[in-house]
Amino acid sequence: MSGQTTGSPAGQGFDYDVIVIGGGAAGLSGAVALARFRRSVAVIDSGEPRNAPAEGVHNLLGRENVSPADLLATGRAELAGYGGAVITGVVATAEHDQQLGGFEVGLTDGRRFRARRLLLASGVVDTLPDLPGVAELWGRAVLHCPYCHGWEFRDQAIGILATGPMATHQALMFRQLSDDVLLFRHTAALDDDQLEQLAARGITVIDGEVTALERDPSGELAGVRLAGGTVVPRQAIVVAPTMEARAGFLTTLGLQPEPVEVNGVRIGSKIAADGNGATAVPGVWAAGNLTNPMAHVMISAAAGLTAGAVINGDLITEETAAAVAAARARAQPQPLDPVG
């Protein structure tokens, strides 16, 4: 492996200095930072990025509107250029390596890899409202983030599907982009303050439960069907998915997702980590949507870079301590052989 140098794990039983679980913006950014420091690093990725349905990535300085697939392909190529590896697979387990003192990662196909450190960047899964048409239009005309998709639907007819505490906030955000914003009350409760805010901004509240999103003959969004049968024309629908951490493989490490709440209402889960990505388990860092479900691509990439740099520093500290211990041992006077 071209990234290996003196002090790498070669010959010590480890496959890599660092294994990165998840090959999105956070994982690849961390891996590139490590590979540029001549660390042997592998990214394990299933090839199912969260933002795959989106046409382009936005608010990523210098790469505005790049497709998610092209962004990841470029990141992989950059990693390969520095000697890093990408392993295609799904992680089933991650646990302490009792023999070597590092970590062992097991894939669903039976392959196993050992590393001194782990960087977790497996992201989240979006659980969408269970209504016909929502999943089919997700990432195209069904949206959740005004910063990710808002500009593309400026001045269009936008509907907010109210399913929880974020509905009023979403409506007020999208109102900045269009004069034609409706909030479908659906199953959500709105208090007097929220209703006052919506009315003040000219956002009409539509009562009644939504039963489906209607599509036109080409498969694109036509409107919102209410329980009474009325179809309200809309060009985009905003929803609030529940964002669940991809963390089932972490139980053997002792890491459990914790809830993410807004106004006391659970909107998802995450793995807790400090500002540098360190988790409660020594030797394990986390970054990206796994620790911040609402982070944009640029924020996730920055978090991955930060974690990668800190991991490299942690390895340098360990290696320096080992080198000092070895030097001291060599400097100790050796006992003389007894004269017989």
Side-chain angles (χ1 to χ4, degrees):
M1 185 178 304
S2 60
Q4 288 184 349
T5 64
T6 301
S8 78
Q12 299 177 24
F14 291 104
D15 299 298
Y16 303 99
D17 286 322
V18 184
I19 287 177
V20 181
I21 301 176
L28 287 173
S29 292
V32 168
L34 287 159
R36 281 176 53 83
F37 254 86
R38 309 186 78 175
R39 294 294 178 188
S40 56
V41 57
V43 174
I44 302 176
D45 186 63
S46 65
E48 299 175 346
R50 178 191 185 192
N51 62 354
E55 291 185 0
V57 175
H58 304 290
N59 298 299
L60 182 60
L61 190 62
R63 298 303 309 276
E64 178 63 25
N65 206 34
V66 62
S67 76
D70 287 347
L71 180 64
L72 296 185
T74 300
R76 287 185 172 205
E78 291 173 355
L79 176 61
Y82 293 115
V86 175
I87 298 169
T88 300
V90 177
V91 173
T93 59
E95 53 197 342
H96 287 97
D97 188 323
Q98 302 300 327
Q99 179 182 354
L100 299 178
F103 302 92
E104 187 171 30
V105 175
L107 277 57
T108 55
D109 61 11
R111 287 178 292 171
R112 303 187 73 82
F113 301 96
R114 288 170 163 172
R116 299 163 69 191
R117 303 289 189 272
L118 294 181
L119 173 54
L120 311 176
S122 50
V124 297
V125 176
D126 293 302
T127 302
L128 301 172
D130 187 17
L131 289 172
V134 171
E136 293 84 350
L137 294 166
W138 175 241
R140 289 160 45 211
V142 174
L143 322 169
H144 74 293
C145 172
Y147 293 101
C148 302
H149 312 286
W151 172 264
E152 285 65 39
F153 288 90
R154 66 196 183 281
D155 299 325
Q156 297 189 32
I158 299 171
I160 312 297
L161 181 64
T163 57
M166 297 296 292
T168 298
H169 172 73
Q170 288 177 311
L172 295 172
M173 295 288 283
F174 276 92
R175 177 62 180 81
Q176 173 66 21
L177 299 162
S178 174
D179 295 335
D180 187 359
V181 178
L182 303 178
L183 187 146
F184 294 88
R185 191 189 297 262
H186 190 45
T187 59
L190 302 175
D191 61 30
D192 290 342
D193 288 343
Q194 292 172 321
L195 291 170
E196 182 180 35
Q197 292 172 18
L198 294 168
R201 293 306 307 271
I203 300 168
T204 300
V205 176
I206 305 296
D207 290 324
E209 188 172 344
V210 173
T211 58
L213 301 186
E214 293 293 324
R215 291 182 288 167
D216 62 24
S218 67
E220 298 305 313
L221 177 66
V224 176
R225 181 175 293 278
L226 300 174
T230 301
V231 176
V232 181
R234 294 287 92 182
Q235 293 169 286
I237 297 298
V238 180
V239 302
T242 303
M243 301 167 285
E244 303 291 359
R246 293 179 186 261
F249 62 92
L250 295 177
T251 55
T252 48
L253 280 178
L255 287 173
Q256 295 286 347
E258 63 179 38
V260 177
E261 297 183 350
V262 173
N263 297 328
V265 178
R266 185 181 182 281
I267 64 168
S269 59
K270 67 177 183 178
I271 293 296
D274 70 12
N276 290 325
T279 71
V281 177
V284 179
W285 280 257
N289 288 141
L290 185 65
T291 65
N292 181 0
M294 292 181 282
H296 302 164
V297 170
M298 181 172 277
I299 296 171
S300 293
L305 170 61
T306 298
V310 174
I311 291 170
N312 180 58
D314 185 61
L315 288 168
I316 288 174
T317 298
E318 178 182 88
E319 291 158 357
T320 301
V324 168
R328 288 175 177 173
R330 291 193 299 271
Q332 290 294 321
Q334 299 299 312
L336 298 175
D337 290 335
V339 177

